[in-house]
Amino acid sequence: MITVDAKPFPYAFPPEKTALIVIDMQRDFVEPGGFGESLGNDVSLLRAIIPTVASLIGLFRTKGWPVIHTREGHEADLSDCPPSKIRRGAPSMRIGDVGPMGRIMVRGEPGNAIIPELQPVDGEIVIDKPGKGAFYATSLGDDLARLGITHLVFAGVTTEVCVQTTMREANDRGFDCLLIEDATESYFPHYKAATVSMIAAQGGIVGCVTPFTSLEAAAA
Ligand code: TIU
């Protein structure tokens, strides 16, 4: 076991049963002209974590531990997108509309791609998910069972939406979860702070939280 200094208690993980899940580091959320900006958000906040996420991915690759990437997006005919999701908010462009990076939040469009800085490499699982949580309507649960994974480390965007939802889904399924707090970001700093705090509250009700340097030091 490797033990990481974390809140609210040291996080111990068996490296051979631990995977990294990088949530939705895709152009639609992180680059200008995508879905995130269409909702009125400032994407520059999210770009600040790219180097830390890259270092985190690099650590897992160096160790030979699995890296799993997710992308939020929908079929071209939007058959897997509930009308309530299309209606949500007051975006300048809606899911399925044509934007500067192709159709917003549609699989295979340029905006749906993972950003160039964090591209998956051969052999890494990429989960296309229609929801906020990466377990809903995907193969993720089966993939993790096949790999014998019991512990999950989380990074990506946005902290209070897709990252938190997926951590809660994982927690309910019995995975031991760790959030790397400087490898996740929100368009709203106060939501990120609240989410990081509530995950670790009540004795780690959803999981543990720690900065990347703590995991790096423990893994050295
Ligand atoms: N809008 C927002 O904060 N997030 C999303 O719509 N999806 C993800 O968090 N990936």
Side-chain angles (χ1 to χ4, degrees), residues 94-172:
R94 293 186 183 275
I95 294 171
D97 288 352
V98 177
M101 293 191 288
R103 293 183 66 205
I104 301 283
M105 291 272 276
V106 171
R107 291 183 192 154
E109 297 287 333
N112 194 234
I114 292 170
I115 59 173
E117 298 91 331
L118 303 176
Q119 279 294 302
V121 298
D122 280 352
E124 291 178 351
I125 294 171
V126 179
I127 299 287
D128 282 306
K129 62 185 185 62
K132 305 292 188 282
F135 286 85
Y136 168 68
T138 73
S139 65
L140 180 59
D142 291 340
D143 292 331
L144 295 174
R146 180 169 39 79
L147 295 171
I149 299 296
T150 57
H151 288 60
L152 292 172
V153 176
F154 285 89
V157 297
T158 61
T159 316
E160 79 280 15
V161 183
C162 292
V163 176
Q164 177 170 218
T165 302
T166 303
M167 276 192 81
R168 288 177 182 273
E169 286 184 325
N171 181 56
D172 280 348

Side-chain angles (χ1 to χ4, degrees), residues 8-167:
F9 52 79
Y11 176 84
F13 67 96
E16 72 286 357
K17 295 183 178 178
T18 302
L20 170 65
I21 302 195
V22 183
I23 305 279
D24 299 359
M25 290 299 291
Q26 60 199 71
R27 299 183 67 199
D28 263 328
F29 294 120
V30 180
E31 292 187 3
F35 182 64
E37 194 177 73
S38 82
L39 291 169
N41 298 311
D42 173 8
V43 297
S44 67
L45 275 175
L46 272 49
R47 299 193 63 77
I49 64 164
I50 294 172
T52 307
V53 179
S55 297
L56 177 61
I57 291 172
L59 174 66
F60 271 71
R61 286 177 183 158
T62 301
K63 296 289 183 183
W65 304 338
V67 178
I68 297 170
H69 308 256
T70 72
R71 296 182 292 218
E72 184 178 355
H74 297 279
E75 304 285 357
D77 63 3
L78 304 186
S79 57
D80 60 352
C81 187
S84 60
K85 185 174 180 181
I86 299 175
R87 283 195 305 267
R88 192 68 61 204
S92 56
M93 291 175 293
R94 293 186 183 275
I95 294 171
D97 288 352
V98 177
M101 293 191 288
R103 293 183 66 205
I104 301 283
M105 291 272 276
V106 171
R107 291 183 192 154
E109 297 287 333
N112 194 234
I114 292 170
I115 59 173
E117 298 91 331
L118 303 176
Q119 279 294 302
V121 298
D122 280 352
E124 291 178 351
I125 294 171
V126 179
I127 299 287
D128 282 306
K129 62 185 185 62
K132 305 292 188 282
F135 286 85
Y136 168 68
T138 73
S139 65
L140 180 59
D142 291 340
D143 292 331
L144 295 174
R146 180 169 39 79
L147 295 171
I149 299 296
T150 57
H151 288 60
L152 292 172
V153 176
F154 285 89
V157 297
T158 61
T159 316
E160 79 280 15
V161 183
C162 292
V163 176
Q164 177 170 218
T165 302
T166 303
M167 276 192 81

